[in-house]
Amino acid sequence: MKKTLLFSTCFLVFPLLFSCSSNTLKVETNVSSYHVGDFIKYSDFKVTNNNKEVTDFLIYNNDELVIDGSAINDLNDLSLTFKKGKYTSKTYEFDVFEKEKRNVDYKDFTYYDLGINASLPSLPSKGYLNVLVIPLCIKGFEKNATSENLEKIKLMFNGDSTNTNFESVSSFYLKSSYNQLKLEFTVSDWFNLNKDPLEIYMERDRNDPSDSGIMYCMDQALNWYKETYNDDCTKFDNDKDGLIDAVWFINSARNYLNYNYDSRYASTYWGFTYWNKKNYNLRNIYNPTYMNFCWCTFDFMFQGYGTNGIDAHTFIHETGHLLGLIDYYDIYNYKLCPNGNIDMMDFNIGDHLAFSKFSLGWIEPKIVNSSTTINIKPLESSGDFIVIGGNNYNKGAFDEYFIVEYVTPTGLNEKDYLAYYNNVDRKIKGYSKKGIKITHIDNRGAKEGNVYNNLVTSTDEINVNYLTNTSAINAKYNQNPMLLSTIFPANYSNLENSTTNPINGKYKESDEALFFENQKFELNESSIYTSLMPSNSNKLNKYLVSKSDEDILDFSVEVLSLNEEATLKIEVKNNEKQSI
């Protein structure tokens, strides 16, 4: 209910000085306007009576008390009232406006911006960031909650390649981001939950089918951390949005492949990333809670290269989710792996591919719209890559286009590309040779309103709700947008049962995907590669919605040499009116 302004003799001109002659009560604020999502600071208001400061006031929004430092969640006006009886007849109102629109240039728009717009915030992808890690001791698995394992957890997050079997989470992201993302993990002592898996399951929120009791665990763990360490956790709210940017909860239980759990909650004991959505309306810049989190069993840190060392692959992959990246495989039946399994967000190996780095704002493409000869350095060390997208390309990561990148078994790729990594169900290895990888990317966004066919174009204001590419647009793939993306392998065969056909099953991970010297890729109306396009043509998928001739591509990429740089001859036949 909207409050009415009492005492009409009180002339309120916001944000100037307001007074009532009866008590010479004055209210002033240094904020010019309020919008939904703004944080209320009681210190922004100064209330005086006969020139003496009054501090016993309260602020309400939609009849709900606004806690100091919390966010405005409703369009109803703010009202300032007083605790003591002599002021209860006074109510001062301040208008609340709709949330201000954020319009970010496409070239600057990242998963972080996408999360803000969708009210599903992610960990920022740049800067020096503090991240909280809380290990949990699960009853029945106390033997794993040791000081030795605690030290290994610390090394896994904050160590480097000299004291882990690969990289730590921090050292990996420092290298992968080209020194743009430095993660500093604060690891607490073990929190003793004193509940076994069945008792945890009984604590589940029965109104939330996705909860198997872990929300209770995480709530208890964070409260314990704040109290034990006398820490308000504001240092973990790096972007000051009233939420801890990310929390890692590592439990002492075994993952469900290594232990016989009750089927009702077995899948809880795995590694995954999600949001505790109920906490969004509890945002508070003075006492932030968590929303974006990872939950994982401790034994994943001994998975990839054996138990004699520390392996952070799974934790690096899940941290990618904290940053907003999604799985690059079909999470429902695992039959579709259009990126060939070879990526940190696919089967947990090697560096992030160019698209991931692009969508996190770490690198910018060389956009090619006309015929040229061009050099690019290896992506892993330089961040170089090429985008070919046609005249309708919006110059950002969230559109449809082709990526050309120089892949090498060096740096973050070296270990997983030259030797087999032991993933959950099988061993996998990356590309052993350096070569050119060509990938069709379809990562369009949907504007708020109609998420099925109202697609973002180059002229739209960026007000993205969430990623799309649903079966309504393309029935061949599930709703994971990256399943509309496909490596275009050099020796691709169109045979129905070909193991190199990403559409017919798991793409065979090998050097067959790469183009080497004197090899040429072509996409035109007669190209064999049209069968890898969801449109079954050289028309971009968005052509099916836009019907624009400018969404038809006709180009080729020829590899002239592969040395410290790759030299490529690119011919573009339908977009000659633009230049690099």
Side-chain angles (χ1 to χ4, degrees):
M1 180 181 294
K2 195 170 183 177
K3 293 181 178 290
T4 56
L5 181 63
L6 303 180
F7 281 81
S8 59
T9 55
C10 299
F11 183 60
L12 192 101
V13 182
F14 179 83
L16 301 177
L17 187 66
F18 320 122
S19 67
C20 290
S21 57
S22 58
N23 285 313
T24 59
L25 191 66
K26 297 180 181 179
V27 179
E28 55 186 326
T29 180
N30 56 10
V31 180
S32 61
S33 62
Y34 295 97
H35 295 80
V36 171
D38 289 347
F39 293 95
I40 291 296
K41 301 177 183 178
Y42 276 46
S43 60
D44 286 337
F45 296 85
K46 183 179 181 182
V47 182
T48 57
N49 181 36
N50 291 325
N51 295 320
K52 293 183 179 180
E53 187 172 2
V54 177
T55 60
D56 58 349
F57 60 87
L58 296 172
I59 299 174
Y60 288 84
N61 174 228
N62 193 23
D63 291 331
E64 295 289 334
L65 177 65
V66 179
I67 304 299
D68 191 15
S70 63
I72 301 172
N73 294 317
D74 198 283
L75 267 173
N76 282 273
D77 296 343
L78 296 176
S79 58
L80 185 149
T81 60
F82 300 88
K83 299 176 185 178
K84 293 183 178 179
K86 62 180 179 179
Y87 297 125
T88 55
S89 61
K90 302 279 186 237
T91 300
Y92 293 87
E93 281 198 351
F94 304 90
D95 292 334
V96 175
F97 304 99
E98 290 186 5
K99 187 175 182 179
E100 290 184 295
K101 291 184 177 180
R102 301 174 66 256
N103 189 18
V104 185
D105 288 341
Y106 277 95
K107 64 182 179 62
D108 299 321
F109 192 76
T110 67
Y111 271 114
Y112 176 74
D113 302 290
L114 192 68
I116 292 175
N117 284 353
S119 298
L120 296 171
S122 64
L123 182 67
S125 56
K126 292 183 179 181
Y128 184 97
L129 307 179
N130 292 298
V131 181
L132 178 60
V133 181
I134 305 179
L136 286 77
C137 177
I138 306 294
K139 188 162 67 174
F141 299 93
E142 293 90 347
K143 66 178 182 179
N144 301 322
T146 64
S147 57
E148 180 183 3
N149 278 336
L150 184 64
E151 291 305 309
K152 289 181 178 180
I153 290 171
K154 292 177 181 179
L155 284 175
M156 182 181 65
F157 279 105
N158 288 321
D160 55 34
S161 58
T162 65
N163 45 39
T164 67
N165 278 339
F166 176 57
E167 297 280 347
S168 73
V169 179
S170 180
S171 65
F172 175 92
Y173 278 98
L174 186 65
K175 294 177 181 179
S176 186
S177 68
Y178 312 99
N179 298 317
Q180 296 176 81
L181 177 61
K182 169 61 176 173
L183 299 174
E184 184 69 32
F185 293 91
T186 296
V187 183
S188 76
D189 201 351
W190 289 98
F191 165 59
N192 187 3
L193 187 64
N194 200 29
K195 288 185 182 293
D196 62 28
L198 176 59
E199 291 172 313
I200 290 171
Y201 178 72
M202 298 306 293
E203 295 287 351
R204 71 191 185 282
D205 181 353
R206 282 148 170 91
N207 295 318
D208 182 359
S210 67
D211 183 22
S212 57
I214 65 168
M215 301 301 181
Y216 166 83
C217 299
M218 294 185 292
D219 289 345
Q220 295 295 311
L222 183 60
N223 291 337
W224 166 84
Y225 174 83
K226 288 184 175 182
E227 181 178 346
T228 302
Y229 292 89
N230 191 27
D231 190 342
D232 59 17
C233 289
T234 52
K235 67 183 178 184
F236 303 116
D237 179 12
N238 299 279
D239 56 2
K240 307 305 176 188
D241 68 347
L243 291 166
I244 299 173
D245 296 325
V247 185
W248 262 101
F249 298 95
I250 300 177
N251 66 78
S252 65
R254 304 296 303 275
N255 75 66
Y256 70 78
L257 292 184
N258 297 326
Y259 193 84
N260 186 26
Y261 292 100
D262 187 308
S263 60
R264 291 174 296 175
Y265 50 80
S267 62
T268 299
Y269 297 95
W270 196 245
F272 54 85
T273 305
Y274 203 59
W275 302 271
N276 190 345
K277 297 179 182 179
K278 66 179 176 58
N279 283 347
Y280 185 75
N281 287 336
L282 300 179
R283 307 187 303 284
N284 191 299
I285 55 176
Y286 298 136
N287 186 27
T289 187
Y290 75 99
M291 185 176 175
N292 190 25
F293 71 86
C294 283
W295 169 274
C296 193
T297 58
F298 85 103
D299 53 359
F300 274 102
M301 67 179 176
F302 304 123
Q303 177 187 319
Y305 289 108
T307 59
N308 295 327
I310 302 169
D311 179 31
H313 279 80
T314 296
F315 300 86
I316 293 168
H317 172 98
E318 294 300 329
T319 299
H321 290 317
L322 289 177
L323 291 164
L325 299 175
I326 55 182
D327 287 310
Y328 295 166
Y329 58 85
D330 182 355
I331 63 174
Y332 298 104
N333 57 35
Y334 298 94
K335 290 184 177 179
L336 295 172
C337 294
N339 283 275
N341 304 137
I342 304 174
D343 182 67
M344 181 51 68
M345 299 313 296
D346 202 329
F347 267 54
N348 296 17
I349 66 170
D351 195 6
H352 286 301
L353 49 70
F355 166 71
S356 296
K357 294 170 184 267
F358 185 22
S359 63
L360 293 174
W362 297 339
I363 55 177
E364 294 183 5
K366 298 179 178 182
I367 300 174
V368 173
N369 286 308
S370 61
S371 298
T372 185
T373 298
I374 189 171
N375 293 333
I376 56 171
K377 297 177 181 178
L379 172 75
E380 176 275 321
S381 59
S382 71
D384 279 2
F385 74 112
I386 292 168
V387 161
I388 301 172
N391 291 333
N392 278 341
Y393 172 54
N394 65 24
K395 297 181 174 59
F398 299 94
D399 199 355
E400 185 182 4
Y401 46 89
F402 276 79
I403 279 182
V404 181
E405 57 192 292
Y406 188 12
V407 178
T408 55
T410 58
L412 291 178
N413 292 329
E414 183 173 0
K415 185 159 191 175
D416 295 340
Y417 280 24
L418 299 180
Y420 281 96
Y421 170 71
N422 186 26
N423 207 305
V424 174
D425 61 349
R426 63 192 177 103
K427 292 183 177 181
I428 188 170
K429 185 172 69 171
Y431 308 117
S432 63
K433 301 177 183 179
K434 57 186 180 183
I436 298 299
K437 185 170 72 172
I438 297 176
T439 312
H440 168 239
I441 300 290
D442 187 352
N443 204 43
R444 292 168 293 165
K447 290 166 58 179
E448 291 183 17
N450 187 338
V451 298
Y452 290 101
N453 55 22
N454 196 1
L455 302 179
V456 170
T457 68
S458 58
T459 59
D460 286 325
E461 174 186 298
I462 294 183
N463 192 17
V464 179
N465 187 11
Y466 205 60
L467 294 184
T468 186
N469 284 327
T470 67
S471 57
I473 296 175
N474 184 353
K476 285 187 177 180
Y477 293 92
N478 290 327
Q479 294 191 16
N480 181 337
M482 279 302 292
L483 293 182
L484 285 168
S485 300
T486 299
I487 292 173
F488 280 50
N491 67 342
Y492 169 65
S493 169
N494 196 30
L495 298 176
E496 184 65 25
N497 297 318
S498 172
T499 57
T500 62
N501 186 339
I503 291 178
N504 290 333
K506 291 183 178 179
Y507 170 70
K508 183 179 180 181
E509 61 276 1
S510 73
D511 296 333
E512 295 173 352
L514 303 181
F515 289 80
F516 303 112
E517 288 185 1
N518 302 316
Q519 290 186 326
K520 185 177 183 180
F521 165 82
E522 292 184 275
L523 181 70
N524 51 53
E525 61 183 8
S526 60
S527 170
I528 190 173
Y529 289 103
T530 58
S531 60
L532 288 181
M533 294 286 285
S535 65
N536 289 311
S537 70
N538 60 323
K539 300 172 183 177
L540 294 177
N541 298 347
K542 62 183 179 181
Y543 176 87
L544 304 177
V545 175
S546 70
K547 306 299 183 185
S548 170
D549 289 343
E550 293 186 332
D551 289 326
I552 301 175
L553 294 183
D554 188 342
F555 72 96
S556 64
V557 178
E558 183 179 358
V559 182
L560 301 182
S561 65
L562 294 174
N563 298 304
E564 290 186 3
E565 295 184 328
T567 302
L568 308 175
K569 181 181 179 181
I570 300 178
E571 294 183 350
V572 181
K573 297 182 180 179
N574 58 318
N575 293 308
E576 297 287 355
K577 48 189 171 184
Q578 295 192 31
S579 59
I580 298 177

